[in-house]
Amino acid sequence: MTHLIKNIKELIGITSKPILIGCEMKELQTIKNAFIVIENGLIADFGDMKTLTDSSYDKVTDATTSHVLPAWCDSHTHIVYAGNREQEFVDRINGLTYEEIANRGGGILNSAKKLQETEEEELYNQSAERLEEVMHLGTGAIEIKSGYGLTIESELKMLRVIKRLKETYPVAIKSTFLGAHAIPAEYGKKRDKYIDLLIDEMLPQIAAQKLADYIDVFCETGYFTVDETIKLMEAGKKHGLKSKIHVNQFTAIGGIRAAVEHGALSVDHLEVLLPEDIEMLTKGATIPVALPSCSYFLSIPYTPARELIDAQLPLALATDFNPGSTPSGNMNFVVATACIKMKMTPEEAINAATINGAAAMELSQTHGSVAKGKVANFIFTKEIPSYGYLPYSFGSNHIQQVMLRGEFI
């Protein structure tokens, strides 16, 4: 079936590059008064309306009032979880820090206890509701991590839920094994035994059942050391899993060097960055990923986007959707916050949330930009004066429709 989208006010995000680096991010290619031809869920053609000649299409949609841009590509989420942690939100308002809450049995271990007690079907239903919400907010590709199980049974349960979501919904999903999210309380003085459990028992089962695309580690003071992170990255590599590493959220302990040297696909958070960290990133292909709504929610520093971009690095934006530090999967808010708090231009933020986000999931050959042959995942805006209005008017929903795989959802 062929579907013509005609009279688009402005078609945004045109590029065939697999990633945009440094000053390239400042350029956002667009066509005003444009068309798109979709065939079998893929982009068959696009261009200026003046160049459109063929008039025989199975379906025609007039988008006169809409700006059309690629659906968001959210490369870092934890949307498979049980319940919520709203009491910890109140605790932080009353003066406790994220670390203090974790030391009292809250944080990740709190979520793990809830998830372990939740039946798989209920976990799927809660997670599916969140996934549907972010799809309607414009997300067309998403990475989802485990890490709230912390036992073999519960980690596998989470990864099965992710697999089921992938099979059920039109959004592109990548799955990440994050068993190294925290040390369970019962392993407090036997952390080596928990790491052995991850490597010797969890990883082989996950690989055999093909439940994950990547492995992740929370490389941070009080969680996993650099040496432990390297050990886990190498173990994942033996099972065909590239690494995507949580690093430099609260402290800089050398995790970025380890991630780059061991071929990590991405390093995520980066709220605390030293000059030598940025220098290290310039020596490899690891993609830095910023999570501005986490900084907003926890009142911690924002990733220094300008320093990374000015160092001619790529930068991706993601939500970090999770129950403790970012209970939101709204990529529109992420883009706005990146502009408002991280001084990214609208062009840089949109590129970071589309093509570079796709690259951080190894999806940029099929997602994240307007190019022939790519999946037809689009956001159709309500009538707005320009794409810069999206981050400017940050408190309003400017999405009229979302298209995934060539179909309006």
Side-chain angles (χ1 to χ4, degrees), residues 173-195:
I173 295 176
K174 287 294 185 98
S175 175
T176 299
F177 170 51
L178 179 56
H181 203 187
I183 300 289
E186 61 268 28
Y187 287 90
K189 294 184 179 180
K190 301 175 292 183
R191 57 189 301 123
D192 287 348
K193 291 190 179 298
Y194 182 64
I195 292 168

Side-chain angles (χ1 to χ4, degrees), residues 3 11 51 100 186 209 257 296 309 330 340 375 378 390:
H3 184 177
L11 180 60
T51 67
E100 287 170 336
E186 61 268 28
Q209 297 177 48
R257 172 176 289 276
Y296 172 86
I309 294 171
N330 189 342
I340 296 164
V375 177
F378 295 111
L390 295 172

Side-chain angles (χ1 to χ4, degrees), residues 152 156 177 195-212 215 235-236 238-239 241:
I152 295 175
L156 289 172
F177 170 51
I195 292 168
D196 289 342
L197 180 73
L198 294 173
I199 293 172
D200 299 334
E201 298 190 45
M202 290 197 200
L203 264 174
Q205 291 191 51
I206 290 163
Q209 297 177 48
K210 298 181 179 179
L211 290 175
I215 187 170
K238 290 177 182 176
H239 290 283
L241 304 181

